[in-house]
Every structure is written in C-alpha cells, then in structure tokens.
Amino acid sequence: GQFRPGDSRSGEIEVQSPGGSASGRGTMLLRQLGPAGSWFVTGIVNDVASITLPAQGDVVPRGPLTIEGTGYGFEAAISVAAYVAGEEVALDLVSTRAGSMESPGAFSVTLDLSAATSGQMVMILVRGGVGLETDPGELAAIAVVIG
C-alpha cells in the first residue's frame, strides 16, 4: 500500500495481498530511528491476528518464550516465528492451529530464543496462511528486546 505519514518520524503502510487487491493483511508501523534516520518496522497490527503475550517492547529472557495471541488461517494453520531484527533466517518457527475461516481462535506456543544475545531486538511474527503460496494471510508482529 501507500505510505501514510504519522508524525515527522513515523508512518504506516498497509500490507496487501499479491496483485494489490483491496484485502489488507495488516498495517506495518514504521519509525525513523538512529543517527542516520533509517526506517524500521516496529510492528504489524491487524484486526484478526494479534500477539497478546509478550507485549510490544517487553524485555524478555534468552531461551524458551511463551507467545500467546489470536489468529486464523486456512484449515486453522498459522505460524509463529522469531527473527533478530535485520536477519532473514528465523531464530525459531512453530506451526500451530488457531481459528479457521472467519473465526479467530487463541493460540499459545513456545519459541526458542536461546540463539539471540542480550540487547538484540527480536521481532515476533504471527501469520495465518490462506492456502495460496503467494498470499501471506493476516499478519501481526511485535518487537521485544533480549535481556
């Protein structure tokens, strides 16, 4: 989607399905950070998918971390992953089940963050697929810091 400015150092972009359909998958929250003023995704919000535990910005320990939230996906399948900010390879990825069709359901999984180091920012991402390889489904993400 198009960039929508917030204050002078923030904004948001709607994540859309492939082909630019009107079906939004979430809203990326962006913020300019650091001395160079580079843009960073600080989270993704969505009416369907959410992460309720931990909270955005929490300091969390290395090792196992319980992630709770809601979501739905094709045949109730969703994935929950953790990424060190700026890295493409997940620290951990767990497939689970939540709601199906248009009815969100609760999930609770444990991710292993033991490969992260103290002070690193880790993005927790929940994604509910729609059964099409190129469509990510509804998304939600938060950032936490390893203590």
Side-chain angles (χ1 to χ4, degrees):
Q2 296 293 320
F3 177 77
R4 297 183 300 246
D7 63 26
S8 64
R9 297 182 63 86
S10 69
E12 56 188 41
I13 297 174
E14 183 175 10
V15 179
Q16 297 178 337
S17 297
S21 80
S23 178
R25 297 303 187 200
T27 302
M28 282 193 309
L29 308 177
L30 305 166
R31 183 90 181 145
Q32 280 185 302
L33 301 170
S38 300
W39 287 95
F40 291 87
V41 175
T42 60
I44 302 173
V45 295
N46 183 297
D47 290 339
V48 174
S50 68
I51 299 168
T52 56
L53 182 73
Q56 172 75 12
D58 277 359
V59 176
V60 300
R62 289 181 61 231
L65 179 67
T66 299
I67 311 296
E68 294 179 358
T70 61
Y72 65 67
F74 178 70
E75 295 181 351
I78 65 169
S79 65
V80 184
Y83 295 86
V84 171
E87 299 291 326
E88 293 182 27
V89 177
L91 288 171
D92 198 9
L93 170 77
V94 174
S95 295
T96 190
R97 300 178 66 78
S100 185
M101 304 298 283
E102 295 179 8
S103 300
F107 69 86
S108 180
V109 300
T110 300
L111 295 179
D112 181 5
L113 305 185
S114 60
T117 59
S118 181
Q120 282 186 314
M121 181 176 290
V122 172
M123 296 298 293
I124 308 295
L125 172 70
V126 61
R127 181 173 73 96
V130 297
L132 303 173
E133 239 178 73
T134 59
D135 190 338
E138 277 69 22
L139 305 166
I142 62 167
V144 296
V145 177
I146 302 298

